[in-house]
Amino acid sequence: MPSPIPVTRLLPKDLCPSLDTGTCSSPLTKHSYGSTLQVPAQRLRGKVAVRLWSSVIHWKHLCSVQPVGSGGFGSVYKAEYFGETVALKKVKKCTKNKLASQQSFWAELNAAHLRHKNIVRVIAATTCVPADFGDEGSIGTILMEFVGRRNLQQIIYGGAEALGEDRWVRYSSDIVHGLRFLHSHSVVHLDIKPANVLVTSEDVCKIADFGCSFKLDPGYEVSAIRHQPLVGGTYTHRAPELLKGEGVSPKADIFSFGITLWQLLTREPPYTGDREHVLYAVVAYNLRPSVQDHPVFRSESGRQFRGLLSQCWSGEPHCRPSAEELLSYLEQLRSKI
């Protein structure tokens, strides 16, 4: 399957997407991040390296596939793989924009080599799917750790459970821990929002859905405009510089985090009105969610969060804090609660 991003940028030369229905010589093993598919060590430039994900899915060991949900570019299922519960994502072939749907699949792998407690872990991915598992509308399949069915969107809007200050700060810290790690490896998520933050049974947040993500070139903090991703993300959370077609940087994720944090604090939608009006007003008039009248911002910690929000969603990317700076601020708040 052709990709707008060269496969060699994403997969090592000795690993390419392939179909393997035979037995697996690499069992699922336990480590500090949970279960993972451990691929045999390989010698690269005289050093031994262990891959933490595979470009081969062993379909004979995949069973009990049950639908969980679907989005713009894919459908997610719960399944069993070598006796472990996993999440299976099929990336759809979008008939209106085939290039964008292909880019979405390859973007999912930008963080596949990374391991962090606040990021959903990739186990395996391939573009080769047997007929009894795939369909003509699928570009590829990705196996990931199964975190659960809860996301932050459901907790904010769908439940009656209280969200006290301790949970605001804890959830926010989890997200920013994940962003700091991604940004330190030059990966920008570009679609941070409550629906893309999964919450485990232990109440830990994990960043998911990297279909809009972007890998910055080594040594660059901002991409050139020609590198603007085709996949747009969610307009309510998209930074104004991206709406204007300017370069991508980690500060775009900080803007999106600011909108997400406001939702977590208020449990309200960030904007009302039609999409075109919101897009125009965010860029032309610095439209942001209101922090004036909501009672949550009247407490001492609420006033502190109000100041933090204004920094996160500044119209100028260089005025926004880094994930490292955000984390330090959140840890100070957490110590006072």
Side-chain angles (χ1 to χ4, degrees), residues 228-244:
Q228 181 76 273
L230 293 175
V231 184
T234 306
Y235 78 93
T236 52
H237 294 68
R238 198 156 173 80
E241 67 270 18
L242 300 185
L243 296 176
K244 292 186 288 186

Side-chain angles (χ1 to χ4, degrees), residues 18 291 328:
S18 61
V291 295
S328 176

Side-chain angles (χ1 to χ4, degrees), residues 25 31 35 61 63 89 111 114 124 131-132 165 167 213 297 331:
S25 59
H31 58 54
S35 300
H61 298 278
C63 60
K89 182 171 185 177
L114 302 178
D132 53 340
E165 292 183 2
R167 293 185 77 184
S213 68
F297 296 111
E331 288 176 346

Side-chain angles (χ1 to χ4, degrees), residues 256-318:
S256 302
F257 167 77
I259 305 295
T260 300
L261 176 58
W262 184 91
Q263 292 174 274
L264 185 60
L265 293 167
T266 65
R267 306 184 83 161
E268 294 179 1
Y271 303 113
T272 58
D274 61 79
R275 180 179 185 273
E276 289 72 19
H277 169 76
V278 170
L279 291 175
Y280 180 76
V282 165
V283 173
Y285 299 109
N286 290 316
L287 174 68
R288 303 292 186 268
S290 175
V291 295
Q292 300 300 324
D293 302 323
H294 201 284
V296 75
F297 296 111
R298 295 172 188 165
S299 67
E300 181 180 353
S301 60
R303 287 191 292 271
Q304 291 177 318
F305 271 113
R306 183 169 62 184
L308 182 62
L309 289 171
S310 65
Q311 295 180 50
C312 289
W313 58 39
S314 169
E316 298 296 332
H318 68 272

Side-chain angles (χ1 to χ4, degrees), residues 95-206:
T95 55
K96 292 183 180 180
N97 194 337
K98 294 181 180 179
L99 187 59
S101 57
Q102 289 173 351
Q103 188 183 60
S104 175
F105 172 78
W106 292 107
E108 289 276 7
L109 303 183
N110 280 331
H113 62 294
L114 302 178
R115 295 292 177 267
H116 191 273
K117 66 178 182 179
N118 299 118
I119 297 172
V120 172
R121 174 175 50 83
V122 173
I123 297 170
T126 182
T127 58
C128 298
V129 183
D132 53 340
F133 275 94
D135 55 67
E136 295 182 356
S138 175
I139 288 178
T141 300
I142 302 168
L143 287 185
M144 300 168 285
E145 67 171 313
F146 184 77
V147 176
R149 297 175 182 266
R150 286 197 312 165
N151 62 42
L152 207 53
Q153 175 91 0
Q154 294 166 332
I155 291 175
I156 292 172
Y157 298 113
E161 55 186 315
L163 290 177
E165 292 183 2
D166 59 328
R167 293 185 77 184
W168 297 348
V169 178
R170 184 159 47 83
Y171 285 168
S172 300
S173 296
D174 283 351
I175 298 169
V176 177
H177 268 293
L179 287 178
R180 181 181 67 170
F181 185 75
L182 290 173
H183 295 169
S184 71
H185 289 82
S186 301
V187 176
V188 188
H189 187 277
L190 293 182
D191 199 17
I192 294 295
K193 60 181 180 180
N196 287 342
V197 178
L198 302 183
V199 183
T200 70
S201 57
E202 291 80 25
D203 218 29
V204 175
C205 291
K206 287 177 176 276

